[in-house]
């Protein structure tokens, strides 16, 4: 999380294109969809954020939580405008603010200095659907990215699902230079954090034995994709080394 915080803070100096893939329940969404917007508006209260997640309801929850944290902590220094009671769309006194939408929804008439995409697929069933994957990609290309203001930054956080998911397409697209941070539950070779191969990402919460039990429970495909960030769609075979837990 310290690494992700440093990467996010780079938006203070330059436009950033950041993708983070991590296992479920390891704090990526709380940092990227909750604390990052608060830090951003504390430093740039005149700028606007669009946050999208897999459903409208879930996105609005993040918008509400960010707004409530700001209101409960005036020492942060962010002053909301008097009419900012809506959970999914509110403004600062300086003209900045936040809009929360579901992936696939229209966001016409709104621009973003910071666009955040948090887990655009609601489930493995959605991610396994070529139609849903194409719809999410079309929404990113035709709607989300058209909302970017000059010099805007983009942050994407999600656990991987498929070799054709949104992260895969973004990295293969070639129209943007992405900074991709891949943090598997068990470290592989050349780990970004310098872990030894097979070392857990959060040993105090999910140690080796807990991860071994998770692997047995969820099966190899889910383990490879969501926990190791190396998708293994059924029938395609493993194409990356995946550390084994005993």
């Amino acid at each position: 999380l310290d690494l992700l915080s440093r990467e996010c803070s780079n938006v203070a100096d330059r436009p950033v294109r950041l993708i983070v893939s991590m296992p479920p329940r390891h704090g990526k969404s709380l940092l990227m969809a909750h604390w990052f917007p608060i830090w951003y508006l504390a430093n740039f209260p005149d700028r606007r954020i669009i946050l999208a997640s897999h459903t409208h309801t879930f996105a609005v929850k993040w918008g509400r939580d960010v707004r409530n944290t700001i209101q409960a902590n005036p020492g942060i220094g962010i002053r909301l405008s008097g009419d900012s009671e809506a959970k999914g769309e509110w403004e600062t006194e300086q003209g900045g603010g936040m809009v929360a939408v579901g992936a696939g929804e229209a966001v016409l008439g709104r621009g973003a200095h910071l666009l955040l995409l948090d887990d655009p697929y609601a489930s493995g069933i959605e991610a396994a659907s070529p139609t849903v994957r194409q719809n999410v990609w079309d929404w990113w290309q035709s709607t989300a990215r058209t909302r970017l203001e000059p010099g805007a930054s983009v942050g994407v956080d999600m656990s991987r699902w498929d070799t054709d998911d949104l992260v895969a397409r973004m990295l293969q697209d070639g129209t943007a230079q992405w900074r991709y941070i891949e943090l598997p539950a068990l470290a592989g070779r050349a780990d970004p954090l310098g872990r030894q191969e097979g070392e857990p990402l959060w040993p105090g919460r999910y140690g080796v034995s807990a991860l071994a039990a998770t692997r047995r429970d969820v099966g190899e495909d889910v383990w490879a994709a969501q926990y190791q960030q190396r998708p293994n769609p059924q029938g395609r075979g493993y194409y990356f080394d995946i550390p084994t837990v005993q």
Side-chain angles (χ1 to χ4, degrees), residues 3-20:
L3 171 63
L4 301 190
S5 295
R6 292 194 299 270
E7 293 288 341
C8 289
S9 68
N10 286 332
V11 301
D13 302 316
R14 61 185 183 277
V16 170
R17 296 289 189 273
L18 176 66
I19 297 175
V20 176

Side-chain angles (χ1 to χ4, degrees), residues 198-218:
E199 185 179 345
L201 181 59
W202 194 346
R205 181 175 169 92
Y206 300 108
V208 171
S209 60
L211 292 175
T214 296
R215 184 173 186 170
R216 290 192 297 269
D217 290 343
V218 303

Side-chain angles (χ1 to χ4, degrees), residues 28-49:
K28 64 184 184 305
S29 292
L30 185 61
L31 189 147
M32 297 280 290
H34 183 89
W35 294 112
F36 185 22
I38 293 170
W39 176 90
Y40 187 80
L41 290 175
N43 285 276
F44 310 105
D46 59 336
R47 297 186 187 178
R48 302 194 64 84
I49 300 170

Side-chain angles (χ1 to χ4, degrees), residues 136-224:
V136 170
W137 178 248
D138 290 343
W139 174 81
W140 157 250
Q141 285 195 307
S142 64
T143 300
R145 71 192 303 172
T146 68
R147 300 296 89 204
L148 298 179
E149 299 285 0
S153 293
V154 180
V156 181
D157 72 274
M158 59 177 276
S159 300
R160 296 296 306 277
W161 291 94
D162 192 275
T163 54
D164 186 46
D165 61 21
L166 181 64
V167 167
R169 292 197 183 198
M170 284 177 161
L171 294 177
Q172 295 166 7
D173 183 31
T175 60
Q177 295 296 316
W178 293 98
R179 165 72 166 143
Y180 180 41
I181 298 178
E182 179 185 276
L183 295 172
L186 294 175
R189 301 185 182 94
D191 182 69
L193 298 175
R195 293 177 292 165
Q196 296 297 312
E197 190 170 359
E199 185 179 345
L201 181 59
W202 194 346
R205 181 175 169 92
Y206 300 108
V208 171
S209 60
L211 292 175
T214 296
R215 184 173 186 170
R216 290 192 297 269
D217 290 343
V218 303
E220 291 300 318
D221 287 342
V222 172
W223 171 259

